[in-house]
Amino acid sequence: MNVKNRKMIAAIALTFAAGILMSRADTHYVSLQGTNDVANGYITWAGAATQIQWAVDAAQATTDGDTVLVSNGTYNLTNQINILSNITVQSVNGTNFTFVNGNYPDYTNRCVYMSAGTLDGFTVSNGFLTNYTDGGVNGGAGIVIRVGGVTVKNCYIYKNYITNACGGGIYVRSATGVIISNCAIVGNTCTLKYYGGGIDLYAATAGSLLIDSYISGNTGGYGGGVANRNGTSLITNCTIAGNTATETGGGVRLENCGGVGGVFTNFGYVALANCVISNNSGSSGGPGGVYCYGSTLINCTIIGNRATVVGGVSVSAGNWWGSLMSNCQVIANTASGNYCGGVALYGSAGFANVVANCIIANNVFSVGGYPAGIWLGRGGLVKNCLISCNTNTSSGGGVCLYIGSSEPLFTNFPYGLINCTIVNNQASSGAGIYAKGGTNYIENCIVVSNVTSAGAQVNIYNDTAANTNNYWLTCTPDVLPPNQGNITSDTLFVDRPNRNYRLSAGSPCINTGTNHAWITNSVDLDGRTRIRYVTVDMGAYEFIRSGTIFGFH
């Protein structure tokens, strides 16, 4: 090889190597003790930037994949931090040592704007916005997220405040693939009739998640803790506690989660799953726990919430489909003014709403006239549920049924109460079921041992004689039409005093229900296959013979 060719090959190699060096991911440093070596891009601790934005700008000026590493300290802002490319901004020692301070009242700005990248390990606090619009983005005093591909993790979003806009702590607006994980979102506020005191997920799609996070002590108009609306994002494995709504949804507001034209079930995407929603407060608009409007929630515990209207959960039809609550426990919630202590199930004509495989227990309605357990109106279905130990000072302990003659009956969809166990509720009348209107439907149910405060049984109250004809294959000591398969025998629960309401061998409720097509291959409240021995049992639990080997579904 001649000298000329060797020189050419060497030049190509050097150019290639330089390209590799230019494209590699660099680390840029931030420290309050840095010397601001802007010429070299803050790539040493000695030359670190003293402001986070300066190092972010250096990282974004080269290529995606750079890291901005931030040392301990409080970084007071005079403007928001803008993270606009796929970089990682990470603290060295986490939220207890590294603070992004919005610097109110000296300045009024949000703390962080993100359209890409990762934010990891910061306390983000003291952001303040009022009537603020930035390129059409009106919200997020702590963090606002646009576009998509954004991750916020291991952060503490604390005491940010916004007026006349949404998302006191975090606002996600029309973004895809957003992940917010292992964060605490605490003590944030949005005022008036705006969404998400802690966080507002608006039109977030394509796998967006709020996961493994703690949302507490926030205040908002709609959704004191969290609002999830008009998108397909999922809130999962979170604790949502001690939040307040001035309008609806003290803990959570779910609204039209599914998106027009999206891929969804008859009840939209699952919007809330595997969460604990506790000790939140609603208002005269209620509910205290969860407002579910055209959305789906599953596997949640809703406990100890309170409101004037609906203590626990309201489940109602949205703009495009109905709502579903499944496999949830709604326990010890309180309402003091209207509808119910536990669950209100209602909606508009044309959309069915379903509460399935739930335990609704120990809820309280403290005024009277409405149920402590569940209100069922406007053509919904409650199935495979245990409704027990709810207390009302007046009428309606377990259930109030009010499906009037003008309400939709959903001829292609079941409605009413089917395969429910309603037991040990308390009220002055209708302690088990308080039935109003003429088109209620109750089938395969057990309604027993519901009492007044004095201990007298008052299982069922029908406001018209015609209502007595709405019961089919139901077990209750109250007198119902016998030609409809109703029975008055002792149910023979396994252990009613200790609240084991499963059926023991010899129970007259075994194999005495009605088999509907939708019941086939469904499961009972224990998750066990229904119709195990030819005919479905009455109540929420299917009897299993001793020694039977079975699988859960």
Side-chain angles (χ1 to χ4, degrees):
M1 183 181 297
N2 60 36
V3 172
K4 181 178 180 180
N5 287 340
R6 285 199 298 269
K7 288 181 178 179
M8 183 182 297
I9 292 169
I12 292 171
L14 286 171
T15 301
F16 181 71
I20 293 174
L21 291 173
M22 289 176 63
S23 64
R24 77 183 184 200
D26 289 323
T27 299
H28 309 266
Y29 296 93
V30 181
S31 171
L32 294 174
Q33 287 73 48
T35 59
N36 292 316
D37 183 8
V38 62
N40 291 304
Y42 318 107
I43 57 173
T44 66
W45 277 119
T50 55
Q51 292 294 324
I52 295 172
Q53 186 65 62
W54 299 344
V56 167
D57 289 342
Q60 294 178 153
T62 54
T63 184
D64 283 352
D66 281 13
T67 296
V68 174
L69 198 58
V70 183
S71 186
N72 299 355
T74 299
Y75 294 86
N76 295 315
L77 304 180
T78 59
N79 206 339
Q80 67 187 21
I81 297 169
N82 293 291
I83 303 172
L84 311 176
S85 62
N86 188 25
I87 64 172
T88 297
V89 182
Q90 180 179 352
S91 71
V92 175
N93 291 311
T95 58
N96 290 335
F97 299 93
T98 320
F99 304 88
V100 173
N101 178 24
N103 212 8
Y104 178 79
D106 292 338
Y107 293 87
T108 56
N109 47 254
R110 80 163 54 91
C111 294
V112 182
Y113 178 105
M114 300 182 72
S115 60
T118 297
L119 186 71
D120 183 358
F122 293 87
T123 292
V124 179
S125 67
N126 212 25
F128 185 96
L129 295 179
T130 180
N131 295 316
Y132 183 83
T133 302
D134 178 12
V137 182
N138 190 349
I143 300 172
V144 69
I145 297 171
R146 292 297 307 271
V147 184
V150 170
T151 297
V152 176
K153 60 182 180 178
N154 307 317
C155 287
Y156 184 44
I157 315 301
Y158 178 63
K159 281 197 174 180
N160 300 281
Y161 188 95
I162 192 166
T163 66
N164 303 314
C166 301
I170 301 176
Y171 181 47
V172 180
R173 169 84 185 202
S174 302
T176 61
V178 173
I179 308 296
I180 301 169
S181 68
N182 197 36
C183 290
I185 304 170
V186 178
N188 304 281
T189 301
C190 71
T191 63
L192 304 175
K193 295 184 178 182
Y194 290 93
Y195 290 82
I199 176 170
D200 181 27
L201 302 162
Y202 178 76
T205 60
S208 295
L209 283 174
L210 171 61
I211 185 170
D212 296 330
S213 294
Y214 177 71
I215 300 99
S216 180
N218 304 284
T219 301
Y222 300 103
V226 186
N228 186 7
R229 55 198 179 104
N230 298 335
T232 59
S233 54
L234 170 64
I235 305 164
T236 186
N237 294 97
C238 293
T239 297
I240 302 166
N243 303 282
T244 301
T246 56
E247 298 294 330
T248 62
V252 184
R253 182 178 172 107
L254 308 175
E255 182 177 310
N256 294 321
C257 293
V260 176
V263 179
F264 51 86
T265 69
N266 290 334
F267 300 99
Y269 285 89
V270 176
L272 182 70
N274 308 314
C275 292
V276 175
I277 299 96
S278 67
N279 298 301
N280 302 283
S281 301
S283 66
S284 58
V290 181
Y291 178 93
C292 181
Y293 178 82
S295 302
T296 294
L297 66 150
I298 63 173
N299 300 331
C300 291
T301 299
I302 299 119
I303 184 169
N305 304 282
R306 60 197 176 277
T308 306
V309 175
V310 188
V313 188
S314 66
V315 181
S316 61
N319 293 348
W320 305 296
W321 48 78
S323 286
L324 168 67
M325 180 172 75
S326 178
N327 295 91
C328 293
Q329 297 185 68
V330 184
I331 299 172
N333 303 281
T334 302
S336 58
N338 210 343
Y339 279 113
C340 65
V343 180
L345 178 63
Y346 52 92
S348 60
F351 296 111
N353 300 288
V354 175
V355 172
N357 295 77
C358 292
I359 295 173
I360 302 166
N362 296 96
N363 301 284
V364 176
F365 191 79
S366 61
V367 174
Y370 293 92
I374 182 167
W375 163 280
L376 172 58
R378 302 188 188 180
L381 170 65
V382 180
K383 64 177 184 177
N384 288 336
C385 289
L386 171 64
I387 303 163
S388 70
C389 302
N390 302 284
T391 303
N392 192 345
T393 57
S394 183
S395 55
V399 182
C400 181
L401 279 162
Y402 192 11
I403 304 173
S405 58
S406 63
E407 302 297 342
L409 298 185
F410 300 100
T411 55
N412 296 319
F413 189 88
Y415 65 94
L417 283 169
I418 302 179
N419 279 104
C420 291
T421 298
I422 302 162
V423 58
N424 281 5
N425 301 284
Q426 181 177 307
S428 60
S429 66
I433 295 176
Y434 189 97
K436 303 176 68 175
T439 57
N440 299 301
Y441 189 83
I442 302 96
E443 185 177 55
N444 298 353
C445 290
I446 297 171
V447 190
V448 298
S449 301
N450 301 284
V451 299
T452 67
S453 58
Q457 285 213 32
V458 286
N459 290 289
I460 296 172
Y461 173 83
N462 296 292
D463 73 339
T464 66
N467 262 338
T468 60
N469 295 313
N470 296 328
Y471 298 81
W472 302 81
L473 299 133
T474 288
C475 180
T476 180
D478 294 37
V479 177
L480 296 172
N483 61 340
Q484 294 175 182
N486 300 302
I487 60 175
T488 59
S489 306
D490 188 340
T491 53
L492 298 180
F493 288 132
V494 170
D495 189 356
R496 185 184 67 80
N498 289 305
R499 302 185 182 184
N500 185 342
Y501 306 121
R502 294 165 184 84
L503 303 176
S504 63
S507 170
C509 299
I510 297 170
N511 294 339
T512 51
T514 296
N515 293 345
H516 293 284
W518 65 271
I519 296 177
T520 304
N521 297 323
S522 68
V523 296
D524 72 355
L525 191 55
D526 280 333
R528 302 179 298 197
T529 301
R530 278 288 195 185
I531 315 182
R532 187 165 294 275
Y533 308 118
V534 183
T535 305
V536 71
D537 298 344
M538 294 179 182
Y541 298 100
E542 197 77 0
F543 174 72
I544 303 295
R545 293 193 183 107
S546 178
T548 299
I549 298 174
F550 57 87
F552 289 90
H553 295 265

